[in-house]
Amino acid sequence: MLLKTGAILLTISSGFNALLASAILTILIIFKKNAPFLYIVFDETAISQLNSKIIAMTNSLAVLFNASAASFSILSIYVI
C-alpha cells in the first residue's frame, strides 16, 4: 500500500514538473519571450539595460535546462 502511494505521488510530481518545463519551453521557443528567471530577478528597466548577449545566454541555458527537465520527468514517469 505504501509503495503504491509513493509511486502515485512520484508520478504526480513528475507530471507536474514535465508540464511546467514544457510550458516554459513553449514560452521561450514559440512565443520568443525571455526566460522567467529574468523577470524574477530583474525588473523591466533592468532587463532592457542588459547586454543582448547576456539575455541570449540566459535564454539558451533556460532552454537547455527545461528540455532536460522535461525529458527526465517524462522518462521517470515511464519507468515508474
Side-chain angles (χ1 to χ4, degrees):
M1 178 70 181
L2 191 61
L3 187 62
K4 187 173 183 174
T5 304
I8 290 171
L9 288 175
L10 191 58
T11 302
I12 291 170
S13 172
S14 294
F16 177 72
N17 195 14
L19 182 69
L20 185 63
S22 299
I24 292 173
L25 281 173
T26 303
I27 289 170
L28 289 169
I29 295 173
I30 295 176
F31 297 120
K32 306 274 190 219
K33 300 283 185 178
N34 288 328
F37 172 77
L38 286 174
Y39 296 108
I40 293 170
V41 175
F42 303 113
D43 58 349
E44 289 289 331
T45 57
I47 292 173
S48 64
Q49 293 173 355
L50 286 175
N51 190 357
S52 62
K53 289 182 180 181
I54 294 173
I55 295 174
M57 182 216 37
T58 306
N59 289 338
S60 63
L61 286 174
V63 168
L64 180 67
F65 171 75
N66 285 302
S68 300
S71 62
F72 183 73
S73 297
I74 292 170
L75 179 66
S76 64
I77 290 171
Y78 178 73
V79 169
I80 295 171

